[in-house]
Amino acid sequence: MTHQPTVALVVSTIEDEYENNLLRGVQAVLQAAGVQVLCVVSGGLNIPYQPNAHGNILHRLLQPPLVDALILSGALRHSTSPDGLKQFWQQLPPIPMVGIALDELDIPYLMAEGYQGMYTAVTHLIVHHKRRALLFLRGPVGQKEAEERFRAYRDALRDQGVPYDPTLVIEGDYSYPSGQQAMAAYLMTGHPFDAVVCANDTMALAVLQVLRQQGVQVPQDVSIVGFDDSEGGRYENPPLTTVRQSSYEQGQQVAGLVLALLAGEPVPAYTPARTRLVLRRSCGCGERDVAESMYASVKRPYVAGPLAAQQPIITAALSEALGHFPQENAQAWANLLFTGLLAETEGECGRFLGSLDQVLQQASNFEGDVAIWNQALSVLREWSLPWLEGALLRELWPLARQQVGEHMERIQAMRRIATERRARLLRLFSDELIGCLTLPEVLKVVNRRLPDLGIRRAFIALYEQAEEPMTWARLVLAFTENGRVPLPGEGVRFWAPHLLPARLSPFATEQTVVVEALYTQEVQLGFAVFTISPAESSVCDGLRTLISSSLRTLMLIETQRRMSDDIMTREKARREREALIRELEAKNAELERFTYTVSHDLKSPLITIRGFLGMLERDISAGNLAQVAHNIAHIRQAANTMQELLQDLLNLSRVGRVENAPAWIRFADLVQEAMQRVAAQIAERGVTIQVEPDLPMVYGDRLRLVEVLQNLLDNGVKFMGAQPHPHIEIGVRQEGTEQIFFVRDNGIGVEEAYHKKIFGLFERLNTEVEGTGIGLALVKRIVELHNGRIWVESTGSGQGSTFCFTLNSAPPVRAPQDTSSFP
Ligand code: ADP
């Protein structure tokens, strides 16, 4: 496969008419030559680089092998100094390149031919409107363009035999006030004049205003001609006759230059871009009939014979009049119009208006106004006049002009409808984008909406690191005529200056490829590549803004999410820390109490022992043997108490440390085991025990749970008081989703004030009954290790007590029904 060359057209925007038409002209010529066009929309040059010149990043794409040659739009320079422009140019690679109106650079350039336009305008005033005293409002002395236009004015006077009068030359600087001032000053001199030729439209509009104020009638008393075909001039009253440059045509011309450079052919350093006179009413051309144009004055080299024989001459003049359009079209249309007219003269009624309709239809893809068509009609009429019969002459032209007017109106309406449709689609697109909260959502909307806007292929690439734009990027969206190209979630990584990853191409026949930078005010995001027909391409700038802003929204959401995540993590950590501190404080307090009570409680048997040892000593030396046995019994009793205390303490300290593997256990089995352990006490006190049938399975540490029940049973027996019918009941009740196990006795009961206290270490209410005050503390700890709670229910002294507890350590699996162990 041979390499298909690519030419990059660098523009500041494609939203405005001038640069958009430039692109269309370039595309038309290069496409026909099999050269690909890459339109790089970089914004105006912002050199030295300003922080907000995000679009300028795209200049880094202007390198081989992606790009083989460059066309630089003149609009790039509007935002920079001549030095800035040079600096930009020096950074470009040494590849073929042409510029438009960039005459400061050392590259071939195209520039509107000011001389020719001005010469034609002045000639028109003299020849057609018989003006003789033509005031010339020139541009600044020494300025290249201004001098050229001035020279054209003098040459035209000379060629038409009008003597040059230096007092008729006044000067402005292209600005509106300078035009006003110069005109007002000249009026003060009282010298007569019958036309004002201005070096640009802005000054011409100022002149028009001053003359109107002075009661001078334009164009009856004075003709005015401007230069540039500005929008303001078109809608003035009277509309301004002016000299216009066609950016479409400039695009074509400049594309021709770049093709020559690519072929290794030499091109001139300067190529003039054609300009043409647009006749409107300010010069004196009638509204209904702008004609009797300058072409009429040119000597007609008619050949002898009928109208048919004049075809080459007349169509040449006519295609000249239609020179605003691409040359091949202008020629084809000139032929069509001529043959139509010829047929009409030969009696085929309606043929001329038919061809006019056809031509207008074809021309509707190009910009153009009524003035151009009326001018063309005038040329045709003037040149074929000798062969046209009176009646035909009278009827045909007004009808033709009417047709042109109606056609233009229709075009305007169609354009308006198209613009409205596009605005509607863009609004829809933007509405949908607003709702997107993630990148995949945004891409989905882009993928769905862009084809409606005429985009055939679209690619969106995001830089991997915003701080290093135009280095590594990830292609996150690609769609072509065949639908969305599947890409991995994180996109396809590629070197951004290559435009796209290998094997993907944006280039398609009859389409133009537009690159737009995606950025927010602060940061470079990436770029978008759109493949679209040149006629619809102006939408790309708007898409850039919409997509950029929705990506920006995503970034904001992301930052916010990260921030709130951060806050949440920190808050959670804080809460955990605080809980930990509280737990630690509680443990500390418990430890303190523990140390205090341990030393206190351990001390009392020691004191007892020491006391009885003293007595023992005394009794032995006194030979009081009966007392000796008594003392020894007391000492043994105290030692036993101490051992019990130490055993309980050891037991307590083990809870939470020693872990027996948890398992599913029948609660009834636990009860049986506990009852066996306290069987002696139960029997001794004669307590009746009632165990509920159908007790459930529980999950936990079997030995520890037996300990719980053992302690509760033991306490129940111990604290029966004088109850004549001691009775203990063991069972379970359901409260909501919770199973509450209980051990109920009809003993002495617990005053409400002590309901909490008794679960503390060494808390004993009743010192007459044996005990260490550790039992309930141990029970509480075991229950808590099973994620449960324990409490006592008792209405007070003599009312019996019910010790209740829950267990919540079961894994989130349904308990097997009535099997003794969990597989
Ligand atoms: P002890 O070793 O004294 O039994 P516990 O921690 O088991 O220590 O009990 C603490 C205190 O709670 C007991 O001294 C007693 O006053 C009270 N108590 C425990 N169980 C009962 C009960 N079933 N009926 C009445 N009071 C009880």
PDB file of all heavy atoms in Angstrom, residues 648 711-712 715-719 745 747-750 758-760 762-766 769-777 800-801 803, ligand 1:
ATOM      1  N   ASP A 648     -10.927 -19.107  91.259  1.00  0.00           N
ATOM      2  CA  ASP A 648     -11.923 -18.309  90.520  1.00  0.00           C
ATOM      3  C   ASP A 648     -11.253 -17.218  89.695  1.00  0.00           C
ATOM      4  O   ASP A 648     -11.636 -16.970  88.547  1.00  0.00           O
ATOM      5  CB  ASP A 648     -12.913 -17.678  91.497  1.00  0.00           C
ATOM      6  CG  ASP A 648     -13.993 -18.671  91.915  1.00  0.00           C
ATOM      7  OD1 ASP A 648     -13.917 -19.817  91.418  1.00  0.00           O
ATOM      8  OD2 ASP A 648     -14.875 -18.300  92.691  1.00  0.00           O
ATOM      9  N   ASN A 711     -22.931 -21.711  87.211  1.00  0.00           N
ATOM     10  CA  ASN A 711     -22.898 -20.573  88.127  1.00  0.00           C
ATOM     11  C   ASN A 711     -24.279 -20.083  88.477  1.00  0.00           C
ATOM     12  O   ASN A 711     -24.574 -19.780  89.639  1.00  0.00           O
ATOM     13  CB  ASN A 711     -22.093 -19.438  87.504  1.00  0.00           C
ATOM     14  CG  ASN A 711     -20.642 -19.485  87.944  1.00  0.00           C
ATOM     15  OD1 ASN A 711     -20.319 -19.235  89.090  1.00  0.00           O
ATOM     16  ND2 ASN A 711     -19.775 -19.883  87.009  1.00  0.00           N
ATOM     17  N   LEU A 712     -25.131 -20.009  87.456  1.00  0.00           N
ATOM     18  CA  LEU A 712     -26.478 -19.485  87.710  1.00  0.00           C
ATOM     19  C   LEU A 712     -27.273 -20.449  88.611  1.00  0.00           C
ATOM     20  O   LEU A 712     -27.986 -20.026  89.513  1.00  0.00           O
ATOM     21  CB  LEU A 712     -27.205 -19.238  86.383  1.00  0.00           C
ATOM     22  CG  LEU A 712     -26.604 -18.128  85.514  1.00  0.00           C
ATOM     23  CD1 LEU A 712     -27.396 -17.971  84.207  1.00  0.00           C
ATOM     24  CD2 LEU A 712     -26.570 -16.793  86.251  1.00  0.00           C
ATOM     25  N   ASN A 715     -25.877 -20.231  92.140  1.00  0.00           N
ATOM     26  CA  ASN A 715     -26.387 -19.033  92.820  1.00  0.00           C
ATOM     27  C   ASN A 715     -27.841 -19.216  93.219  1.00  0.00           C
ATOM     28  O   ASN A 715     -28.265 -18.833  94.305  1.00  0.00           O
ATOM     29  CB  ASN A 715     -26.265 -17.806  91.912  1.00  0.00           C
ATOM     30  CG  ASN A 715     -24.845 -17.243  91.949  1.00  0.00           C
ATOM     31  OD1 ASN A 715     -24.032 -17.665  92.769  1.00  0.00           O
ATOM     32  ND2 ASN A 715     -24.563 -16.303  91.035  1.00  0.00           N
ATOM     33  N   GLY A 716     -28.631 -19.779  92.269  1.00  0.00           N
ATOM     34  CA  GLY A 716     -30.074 -19.980  92.543  1.00  0.00           C
ATOM     35  C   GLY A 716     -30.263 -20.815  93.805  1.00  0.00           C
ATOM     36  O   GLY A 716     -31.083 -20.490  94.663  1.00  0.00           O
ATOM     37  N   VAL A 717     -29.475 -21.852  93.938  1.00  0.00           N
ATOM     38  CA  VAL A 717     -29.570 -22.713  95.125  1.00  0.00           C
ATOM     39  C   VAL A 717     -29.088 -21.957  96.359  1.00  0.00           C
ATOM     40  O   VAL A 717     -29.737 -21.968  97.399  1.00  0.00           O
ATOM     41  CB  VAL A 717     -28.739 -24.002  94.916  1.00  0.00           C
ATOM     42  CG1 VAL A 717     -28.750 -24.854  96.190  1.00  0.00           C
ATOM     43  CG2 VAL A 717     -29.287 -24.803  93.749  1.00  0.00           C
ATOM     44  N   LYS A 718     -27.919 -21.255  96.176  1.00  0.00           N
ATOM     45  CA  LYS A 718     -27.307 -20.548  97.307  1.00  0.00           C
ATOM     46  C   LYS A 718     -28.209 -19.471  97.901  1.00  0.00           C
ATOM     47  O   LYS A 718     -28.280 -19.288  99.093  1.00  0.00           O
ATOM     48  CB  LYS A 718     -26.000 -19.870  96.848  1.00  0.00           C
ATOM     49  CG  LYS A 718     -24.786 -20.754  97.037  1.00  0.00           C
ATOM     50  CD  LYS A 718     -23.451 -20.001  96.997  1.00  0.00           C
ATOM     51  CE  LYS A 718     -23.316 -18.983  95.913  1.00  0.00           C
ATOM     52  NZ  LYS A 718     -21.929 -18.526  95.709  1.00  0.00           N
ATOM     53  N   PHE A 719     -28.868 -18.734  96.991  1.00  0.00           N
ATOM     54  CA  PHE A 719     -29.632 -17.577  97.460  1.00  0.00           C
ATOM     55  C   PHE A 719     -31.128 -17.871  97.545  1.00  0.00           C
ATOM     56  O   PHE A 719     -31.953 -17.054  97.176  1.00  0.00           O
ATOM     57  CB  PHE A 719     -29.346 -16.348  96.591  1.00  0.00           C
ATOM     58  CG  PHE A 719     -27.890 -15.970  96.616  1.00  0.00           C
ATOM     59  CD1 PHE A 719     -27.045 -16.249  95.556  1.00  0.00           C
ATOM     60  CD2 PHE A 719     -27.353 -15.356  97.759  1.00  0.00           C
ATOM     61  CE1 PHE A 719     -25.701 -15.929  95.600  1.00  0.00           C
ATOM     62  CE2 PHE A 719     -26.001 -15.036  97.810  1.00  0.00           C
ATOM     63  CZ  PHE A 719     -25.169 -15.326  96.728  1.00  0.00           C
ATOM     64  N   ASP A 745     -35.416 -18.466  89.825  1.00  0.00           N
ATOM     65  CA  ASP A 745     -35.557 -19.122  91.136  1.00  0.00           C
ATOM     66  C   ASP A 745     -36.595 -18.374  91.960  1.00  0.00           C
ATOM     67  O   ASP A 745     -37.005 -17.287  91.599  1.00  0.00           O
ATOM     68  CB  ASP A 745     -34.200 -19.170  91.861  1.00  0.00           C
ATOM     69  CG  ASP A 745     -33.670 -17.796  92.174  1.00  0.00           C
ATOM     70  OD1 ASP A 745     -34.365 -16.992  92.834  1.00  0.00           O
ATOM     71  OD2 ASP A 745     -32.518 -17.469  91.709  1.00  0.00           O
ATOM     72  N   GLY A 747     -36.007 -17.563  95.140  1.00  0.00           N
ATOM     73  CA  GLY A 747     -35.220 -17.265  96.331  1.00  0.00           C
ATOM     74  C   GLY A 747     -35.377 -15.832  96.826  1.00  0.00           C
ATOM     75  O   GLY A 747     -36.427 -15.212  96.669  1.00  0.00           O
ATOM     76  N   ILE A 748     -34.250 -15.293  97.330  1.00  0.00           N
ATOM     77  CA  ILE A 748     -34.309 -14.007  98.051  1.00  0.00           C
ATOM     78  C   ILE A 748     -34.492 -12.795  97.129  1.00  0.00           C
ATOM     79  O   ILE A 748     -34.859 -11.714  97.572  1.00  0.00           O
ATOM     80  CB  ILE A 748     -33.055 -13.795  98.929  1.00  0.00           C
ATOM     81  CG1 ILE A 748     -31.788 -13.759  98.063  1.00  0.00           C
ATOM     82  CG2 ILE A 748     -32.940 -14.878  99.992  1.00  0.00           C
ATOM     83  CD1 ILE A 748     -30.554 -13.335  98.831  1.00  0.00           C
ATOM     84  N   GLY A 749     -34.191 -12.963  95.861  1.00  0.00           N
ATOM     85  CA  GLY A 749     -34.384 -11.854  94.917  1.00  0.00           C
ATOM     86  C   GLY A 749     -33.284 -10.804  95.025  1.00  0.00           C
ATOM     87  O   GLY A 749     -32.424 -10.869  95.920  1.00  0.00           O
ATOM     88  N   VAL A 750     -33.298  -9.859  94.079  1.00  0.00           N
ATOM     89  CA  VAL A 750     -32.266  -8.806  94.068  1.00  0.00           C
ATOM     90  C   VAL A 750     -32.968  -7.447  93.985  1.00  0.00           C
ATOM     91  O   VAL A 750     -33.824  -7.235  93.128  1.00  0.00           O
ATOM     92  CB  VAL A 750     -31.319  -8.968  92.851  1.00  0.00           C
ATOM     93  CG1 VAL A 750     -30.224  -7.915  92.876  1.00  0.00           C
ATOM     94  CG2 VAL A 750     -30.709 -10.359  92.822  1.00  0.00           C
ATOM     95  N   ILE A 758     -24.345  -6.401  90.686  1.00  0.00           N
ATOM     96  CA  ILE A 758     -23.974  -7.782  91.020  1.00  0.00           C
ATOM     97  C   ILE A 758     -23.113  -8.454  89.955  1.00  0.00           C
ATOM     98  O   ILE A 758     -22.441  -9.435  90.229  1.00  0.00           O
ATOM     99  CB  ILE A 758     -25.223  -8.661  91.298  1.00  0.00           C
ATOM    100  CG1 ILE A 758     -26.202  -8.566  90.131  1.00  0.00           C
ATOM    101  CG2 ILE A 758     -25.896  -8.268  92.606  1.00  0.00           C
ATOM    102  CD1 ILE A 758     -27.316  -9.584  90.199  1.00  0.00           C
ATOM    103  N   PHE A 759     -23.123  -7.875  88.716  1.00  0.00           N
ATOM    104  CA  PHE A 759     -22.303  -8.482  87.656  1.00  0.00           C
ATOM    105  C   PHE A 759     -20.864  -8.003  87.716  1.00  0.00           C
ATOM    106  O   PHE A 759     -20.010  -8.445  86.965  1.00  0.00           O
ATOM    107  CB  PHE A 759     -22.900  -8.201  86.269  1.00  0.00           C
ATOM    108  CG  PHE A 759     -24.229  -8.896  86.083  1.00  0.00           C
ATOM    109  CD1 PHE A 759     -25.415  -8.222  86.262  1.00  0.00           C
ATOM    110  CD2 PHE A 759     -24.255 -10.252  85.757  1.00  0.00           C
ATOM    111  CE1 PHE A 759     -26.635  -8.867  86.115  1.00  0.00           C
ATOM    112  CE2 PHE A 759     -25.475 -10.898  85.619  1.00  0.00           C
ATOM    113  CZ  PHE A 759     -26.670 -10.200  85.790  1.00  0.00           C
ATOM    114  N   GLY A 760     -20.592  -7.054  88.624  1.00  0.00           N
ATOM    115  CA  GLY A 760     -19.221  -6.558  88.769  1.00  0.00           C
ATOM    116  C   GLY A 760     -18.397  -7.556  89.565  1.00  0.00           C
ATOM    117  O   GLY A 760     -18.906  -8.426  90.269  1.00  0.00           O
ATOM    118  N   PHE A 762     -16.230  -9.183  92.359  1.00  0.00           N
ATOM    119  CA  PHE A 762     -16.233  -9.185  93.815  1.00  0.00           C
ATOM    120  C   PHE A 762     -17.419  -8.464  94.418  1.00  0.00           C
ATOM    121  O   PHE A 762     -17.374  -8.010  95.542  1.00  0.00           O
ATOM    122  CB  PHE A 762     -14.933  -8.560  94.378  1.00  0.00           C
ATOM    123  CG  PHE A 762     -13.703  -9.206  93.864  1.00  0.00           C
ATOM    124  CD1 PHE A 762     -12.756  -8.486  93.146  1.00  0.00           C
ATOM    125  CD2 PHE A 762     -13.477 -10.564  94.106  1.00  0.00           C
ATOM    126  CE1 PHE A 762     -11.611  -9.094  92.681  1.00  0.00           C
ATOM    127  CE2 PHE A 762     -12.316 -11.161  93.642  1.00  0.00           C
ATOM    128  CZ  PHE A 762     -11.382 -10.442  92.915  1.00  0.00           C
ATOM    129  N   GLU A 763     -18.476  -8.280  93.612  1.00  0.00           N
ATOM    130  CA  GLU A 763     -19.650  -7.616  94.181  1.00  0.00           C
ATOM    131  C   GLU A 763     -20.500  -8.685  94.862  1.00  0.00           C
ATOM    132  O   GLU A 763     -20.985  -9.600  94.209  1.00  0.00           O
ATOM    133  CB  GLU A 763     -20.457  -6.896  93.076  1.00  0.00           C
ATOM    134  CG  GLU A 763     -19.709  -5.756  92.394  1.00  0.00           C
ATOM    135  CD  GLU A 763     -19.454  -4.574  93.326  1.00  0.00           C
ATOM    136  OE1 GLU A 763     -19.946  -4.587  94.480  1.00  0.00           O
ATOM    137  OE2 GLU A 763     -18.735  -3.629  92.897  1.00  0.00           O
ATOM    138  N   ARG A 764     -20.674  -8.538  96.127  1.00  0.00           N
ATOM    139  CA  ARG A 764     -21.510  -9.478  96.864  1.00  0.00           C
ATOM    140  C   ARG A 764     -22.475  -8.703  97.726  1.00  0.00           C
ATOM    141  O   ARG A 764     -22.103  -7.768  98.415  1.00  0.00           O
ATOM    142  CB  ARG A 764     -20.640 -10.377  97.734  1.00  0.00           C
ATOM    143  CG  ARG A 764     -19.646 -11.182  96.919  1.00  0.00           C
ATOM    144  CD  ARG A 764     -18.642 -11.879  97.802  1.00  0.00           C
ATOM    145  NE  ARG A 764     -19.305 -12.832  98.685  1.00  0.00           N
ATOM    146  CZ  ARG A 764     -18.720 -13.349  99.765  1.00  0.00           C
ATOM    147  NH1 ARG A 764     -17.515 -12.999 100.091  1.00  0.00           N
ATOM    148  NH2 ARG A 764     -19.368 -14.211 100.518  1.00  0.00           N
ATOM    149  N   LEU A 765     -23.719  -9.106  97.706  1.00  0.00           N
ATOM    150  CA  LEU A 765     -24.708  -8.400  98.509  1.00  0.00           C
ATOM    151  C   LEU A 765     -24.860  -9.110  99.848  1.00  0.00           C
ATOM    152  O   LEU A 765     -25.235  -8.513 100.838  1.00  0.00           O
ATOM    153  CB  LEU A 765     -26.063  -8.382  97.796  1.00  0.00           C
ATOM    154  CG  LEU A 765     -26.054  -7.807  96.380  1.00  0.00           C
ATOM    155  CD1 LEU A 765     -27.466  -7.873  95.795  1.00  0.00           C
ATOM    156  CD2 LEU A 765     -25.534  -6.377  96.378  1.00  0.00           C
ATOM    157  N   ASN A 766     -24.573 -10.382  99.787  1.00  0.00           N
ATOM    158  CA  ASN A 766     -24.900 -11.218 100.916  1.00  0.00           C
ATOM    159  C   ASN A 766     -23.638 -11.940 101.388  1.00  0.00           C
ATOM    160  O   ASN A 766     -23.220 -12.918 100.790  1.00  0.00           O
ATOM    161  CB  ASN A 766     -25.940 -12.232 100.407  1.00  0.00           C
ATOM    162  CG  ASN A 766     -26.655 -12.884 101.554  1.00  0.00           C
ATOM    163  OD1 ASN A 766     -26.037 -13.108 102.604  1.00  0.00           O
ATOM    164  ND2 ASN A 766     -27.910 -13.193 101.357  1.00  0.00           N
ATOM    165  N   VAL A 769     -23.672 -15.696 102.969  1.00  0.00           N
ATOM    166  CA  VAL A 769     -23.609 -16.856 102.090  1.00  0.00           C
ATOM    167  C   VAL A 769     -22.202 -16.930 101.523  1.00  0.00           C
ATOM    168  O   VAL A 769     -21.602 -15.903 101.193  1.00  0.00           O
ATOM    169  CB  VAL A 769     -24.644 -16.732 100.958  1.00  0.00           C
ATOM    170  CG1 VAL A 769     -24.591 -17.929 100.027  1.00  0.00           C
ATOM    171  CG2 VAL A 769     -26.031 -16.565 101.536  1.00  0.00           C
ATOM    172  N   GLU A 770     -21.664 -18.124 101.412  1.00  0.00           N
ATOM    173  CA  GLU A 770     -20.315 -18.291 100.887  1.00  0.00           C
ATOM    174  C   GLU A 770     -20.215 -17.836  99.430  1.00  0.00           C
ATOM    175  O   GLU A 770     -21.148 -18.008  98.655  1.00  0.00           O
ATOM    176  CB  GLU A 770     -19.937 -19.778 100.928  1.00  0.00           C
ATOM    177  CG  GLU A 770     -18.996 -20.118 102.064  1.00  0.00           C
ATOM    178  CD  GLU A 770     -18.640 -21.586 102.002  1.00  0.00           C
ATOM    179  OE1 GLU A 770     -17.990 -21.974 101.009  1.00  0.00           O
ATOM    180  OE2 GLU A 770     -19.054 -22.320 102.932  1.00  0.00           O
ATOM    181  N   GLY A 771     -19.063 -17.302  99.122  1.00  0.00           N
ATOM    182  CA  GLY A 771     -18.894 -16.902  97.709  1.00  0.00           C
ATOM    183  C   GLY A 771     -17.723 -15.974  97.572  1.00  0.00           C
ATOM    184  O   GLY A 771     -17.181 -15.465  98.558  1.00  0.00           O
ATOM    185  N   THR A 772     -17.317 -15.764  96.333  1.00  0.00           N
ATOM    186  CA  THR A 772     -16.165 -14.902  96.082  1.00  0.00           C
ATOM    187  C   THR A 772     -16.556 -13.610  95.376  1.00  0.00           C
ATOM    188  O   THR A 772     -15.764 -12.693  95.245  1.00  0.00           O
ATOM    189  CB  THR A 772     -15.150 -15.628  95.184  1.00  0.00           C
ATOM    190  OG1 THR A 772     -15.828 -16.027  93.997  1.00  0.00           O
ATOM    191  CG2 THR A 772     -14.556 -16.819  95.880  1.00  0.00           C
ATOM    192  N   GLY A 773     -17.766 -13.595  94.868  1.00  0.00           N
ATOM    193  CA  GLY A 773     -18.190 -12.399  94.123  1.00  0.00           C
ATOM    194  C   GLY A 773     -17.606 -12.368  92.716  1.00  0.00           C
ATOM    195  O   GLY A 773     -17.635 -11.346  92.030  1.00  0.00           O
ATOM    196  N   ILE A 774     -17.129 -13.503  92.274  1.00  0.00           N
ATOM    197  CA  ILE A 774     -16.553 -13.547  90.929  1.00  0.00           C
ATOM    198  C   ILE A 774     -17.508 -14.224  89.952  1.00  0.00           C
ATOM    199  O   ILE A 774     -17.521 -13.940  88.756  1.00  0.00           O
ATOM    200  CB  ILE A 774     -15.198 -14.298  90.950  1.00  0.00           C
ATOM    201  CG1 ILE A 774     -14.196 -13.505  91.799  1.00  0.00           C
ATOM    202  CG2 ILE A 774     -14.626 -14.485  89.535  1.00  0.00           C
ATOM    203  CD1 ILE A 774     -12.847 -14.170  91.913  1.00  0.00           C
ATOM    204  N   GLY A 775     -18.391 -15.076  90.451  1.00  0.00           N
ATOM    205  CA  GLY A 775     -19.248 -15.906  89.597  1.00  0.00           C
ATOM    206  C   GLY A 775     -19.967 -15.142  88.509  1.00  0.00           C
ATOM    207  O   GLY A 775     -19.832 -15.444  87.314  1.00  0.00           O
ATOM    208  N   LEU A 776     -20.727 -14.109  88.893  1.00  0.00           N
ATOM    209  CA  LEU A 776     -21.522 -13.397  87.872  1.00  0.00           C
ATOM    210  C   LEU A 776     -20.643 -12.610  86.890  1.00  0.00           C
ATOM    211  O   LEU A 776     -20.981 -12.468  85.720  1.00  0.00           O
ATOM    212  CB  LEU A 776     -22.552 -12.488  88.534  1.00  0.00           C
ATOM    213  CG  LEU A 776     -23.766 -13.210  89.169  1.00  0.00           C
ATOM    214  CD1 LEU A 776     -24.722 -12.199  89.776  1.00  0.00           C
ATOM    215  CD2 LEU A 776     -24.501 -14.067  88.137  1.00  0.00           C
ATOM    216  N   ALA A 777     -19.507 -12.133  87.414  1.00  0.00           N
ATOM    217  CA  ALA A 777     -18.587 -11.411  86.511  1.00  0.00           C
ATOM    218  C   ALA A 777     -18.091 -12.367  85.419  1.00  0.00           C
ATOM    219  O   ALA A 777     -18.000 -12.012  84.228  1.00  0.00           O
ATOM    220  CB  ALA A 777     -17.419 -10.847  87.293  1.00  0.00           C
ATOM    221  N   GLY A 800     -37.733 -13.648  94.423  1.00  0.00           N
ATOM    222  CA  GLY A 800     -37.078 -14.533  93.454  1.00  0.00           C
ATOM    223  C   GLY A 800     -36.371 -13.737  92.355  1.00  0.00           C
ATOM    224  O   GLY A 800     -36.590 -12.525  92.220  1.00  0.00           O
ATOM    225  N   SER A 801     -35.504 -14.406  91.604  1.00  0.00           N
ATOM    226  CA  SER A 801     -34.771 -13.708  90.525  1.00  0.00           C
ATOM    227  C   SER A 801     -34.810 -14.555  89.266  1.00  0.00           C
ATOM    228  O   SER A 801     -34.846 -15.780  89.334  1.00  0.00           O
ATOM    229  CB  SER A 801     -33.301 -13.506  90.883  1.00  0.00           C
ATOM    230  OG  SER A 801     -33.119 -13.402  92.270  1.00  0.00           O
ATOM    231  N   PHE A 803     -32.450 -14.814  85.957  1.00  0.00           N
ATOM    232  CA  PHE A 803     -31.253 -14.378  85.224  1.00  0.00           C
ATOM    233  C   PHE A 803     -31.455 -14.727  83.743  1.00  0.00           C
ATOM    234  O   PHE A 803     -31.712 -15.877  83.406  1.00  0.00           O
ATOM    235  CB  PHE A 803     -30.011 -15.045  85.797  1.00  0.00           C
ATOM    236  CG  PHE A 803     -29.575 -14.405  87.082  1.00  0.00           C
ATOM    237  CD1 PHE A 803     -30.189 -14.747  88.296  1.00  0.00           C
ATOM    238  CD2 PHE A 803     -28.591 -13.431  87.085  1.00  0.00           C
ATOM    239  CE1 PHE A 803     -29.797 -14.127  89.481  1.00  0.00           C
ATOM    240  CE2 PHE A 803     -28.204 -12.814  88.256  1.00  0.00           C
ATOM    241  CZ  PHE A 803     -28.810 -13.156  89.474  1.00  0.00           C
TER     242      PHE A 803
HETATM  243  P1  ADP B   1     -20.903 -15.089  94.824  1.00  0.00           P
HETATM  244  O1  ADP B   1     -19.640 -15.720  94.817  1.00  0.00           O
HETATM  245  O2  ADP B   1     -21.172 -14.218  96.013  1.00  0.00           O
HETATM  246  O3  ADP B   1     -22.049 -15.916  94.474  1.00  0.00           O
HETATM  247  P2  ADP B   1     -21.613 -13.894  92.419  1.00  0.00           P
HETATM  248  O4  ADP B   1     -20.902 -12.944  91.524  1.00  0.00           O
HETATM  249  O5  ADP B   1     -22.048 -15.138  91.862  1.00  0.00           O
HETATM  250  O6  ADP B   1     -20.773 -14.040  93.698  1.00  0.00           O
HETATM  251  O7  ADP B   1     -22.878 -13.103  92.928  1.00  0.00           O
HETATM  252  C1  ADP B   1     -22.779 -11.799  93.351  1.00  0.00           C
HETATM  253  C2  ADP B   1     -23.908 -11.444  94.260  1.00  0.00           C
HETATM  254  O8  ADP B   1     -25.119 -11.392  93.551  1.00  0.00           O
HETATM  255  C3  ADP B   1     -24.140 -12.425  95.301  1.00  0.00           C
HETATM  256  O9  ADP B   1     -23.271 -12.223  96.410  1.00  0.00           O
HETATM  257  C4  ADP B   1     -25.585 -12.221  95.692  1.00  0.00           C
HETATM  258  O10 ADP B   1     -25.706 -11.200  96.633  1.00  0.00           O
HETATM  259  C5  ADP B   1     -26.213 -11.821  94.400  1.00  0.00           C
HETATM  260  N1  ADP B   1     -26.887 -12.972  93.757  1.00  0.00           N
HETATM  261  C6  ADP B   1     -26.369 -13.775  92.826  1.00  0.00           C
HETATM  262  N2  ADP B   1     -27.275 -14.689  92.450  1.00  0.00           N
HETATM  263  C7  ADP B   1     -28.410 -14.460  93.143  1.00  0.00           C
HETATM  264  C8  ADP B   1     -29.706 -15.065  93.192  1.00  0.00           C
HETATM  265  N3  ADP B   1     -30.043 -16.118  92.443  1.00  0.00           N
HETATM  266  N4  ADP B   1     -30.632 -14.558  94.062  1.00  0.00           N
HETATM  267  C9  ADP B   1     -30.292 -13.478  94.825  1.00  0.00           C
HETATM  268  N5  ADP B   1     -29.096 -12.855  94.813  1.00  0.00           N
HETATM  269  C10 ADP B   1     -28.150 -13.360  93.973  1.00  0.00           C
END
